[in-house]
Amino acid sequence: MLDLTNIFRCQKLVQSPVCQLIRYFHKEPIPVTWKKPRIGWTKLNFDGSCKSLSGKASIGGVVRNHNADFMLGYAESIGQANSTIAELKALRRGMELVLENGWNNDIWLEGDAKTLVEIIVKRRQVRCMEVQRHISHINSILPEFNNCFVSHIYREGNRAADKFAQMGHHLDHPRIWRDPPDEVLAQLLEDAQGKIVLRRKGL
């Protein structure tokens, strides 16, 4: 069901800054929009955030139904971690919360880390033991759902989850929201309305 990334063999070209700038502005932007799940499905958008200078990371996510109604949001500071671990922990925590709330029928999992999505979908093995441990745990949770769909979306379509992840940096303890916080109301409304955000190719 997933349209996974095609792998291209690229050759590095040396170009002048002016030429690169002209090519950049001639690229057509990509329209990105968050999509509602089917009737009866639950959708989890997740994201991890990592501060490059401090190395501190946080996670966040949001759960919505087929009407784009807010069901649950979560955020948490997880200490020192890289972006891959943060993304995995965000997905894992979101799945656990979905199950804890009894929404285990049909689930759509969506994040903006394309490589991570491909690892989960293709059940690839990775060399890092910590990463593999999280992936194995996620794979053990997946059978708990009747149906599961995993997809990648550009970050422009994952803004609500990103906002929760950013909020996690400022939390001393994990937090769960049953009602949407003011900080994400704008993103939730735009998602529900199907707002299209243009993404410049190459970003």
Side-chain angles (χ1 to χ4, degrees):
M1 286 194 296
L2 278 179
D3 183 16
L4 298 177
T5 309
N6 291 321
I7 301 176
F8 295 94
R9 180 173 297 175
C10 300
Q11 182 177 5
K12 186 175 181 181
L13 300 177
V14 178
Q15 297 176 329
S16 69
V18 175
C19 181
Q20 290 178 342
L21 187 63
I22 293 174
R23 288 174 61 85
Y24 173 83
F25 282 106
H26 275 78
K27 292 179 179 178
E28 294 183 359
I30 302 172
V32 181
T33 182
W34 180 85
K35 294 182 179 180
K36 301 175 184 178
R38 298 176 182 176
I39 295 176
W41 282 64
T42 302
K43 187 172 184 180
L44 165 65
N45 281 84
F46 64 93
D47 199 17
S49 175
C50 183
K51 300 291 187 181
S52 58
L53 294 179
S54 65
K56 292 184 177 180
S58 61
I59 64 173
V62 56
V63 181
R64 287 168 281 190
N65 65 15
H66 65 274
N67 289 319
D69 296 327
F70 181 90
M71 301 171 69
L72 181 147
Y74 63 96
E76 178 181 347
S77 174
I78 60 172
Q80 298 286 326
N82 60 36
S83 58
T84 300
I85 296 298
E87 294 282 353
L88 285 167
K89 286 191 173 184
L91 172 57
R92 176 177 172 175
R93 183 58 180 144
M95 294 172 68
E96 290 171 345
L97 287 170
V98 168
L99 288 176
E100 288 173 11
N101 283 272
W103 305 321
N104 61 331
N105 290 329
D106 302 319
I107 185 73
W108 181 356
L109 311 172
E110 187 170 72
D112 56 28
K114 181 177 287 188
T115 301
L116 170 60
V117 169
E118 292 184 358
I119 289 173
I120 298 298
V121 171
K122 294 185 176 182
R123 293 183 176 270
R124 293 177 177 171
Q125 296 291 316
V126 296
R127 294 182 178 180
C128 177
M129 294 300 296
E130 185 178 6
V131 171
Q132 186 58 52
R133 177 169 59 84
H134 286 290
I135 292 174
S136 297
H137 186 81
I138 289 169
N139 286 335
S140 71
I141 298 176
L142 289 175
E144 298 291 329
F145 301 100
N146 288 347
N147 291 291
C148 182
F149 180 64
V150 185
S151 67
H152 165 262
I153 190 170
Y154 290 116
R155 62 177 179 268
E156 288 82 359
N158 204 39
R159 293 175 301 150
D162 173 74
K163 187 64 177 179
F164 275 106
Q166 295 298 326
M167 291 165 60
H169 286 292
H170 307 288
L171 297 177
D172 294 326
H173 305 283
R175 185 167 179 184
I176 297 172
W177 288 264
R178 301 290 176 176
D179 296 303
D182 293 341
E183 294 90 334
V184 298
L185 287 177
Q187 286 88 356
L188 293 173
L189 178 60
E190 290 175 352
D191 284 351
Q193 294 174 339
K195 179 180 178 179
I196 297 174
V197 182
L198 297 179
R199 172 185 175 85
R200 179 70 63 177
K201 285 185 178 180
L203 293 182

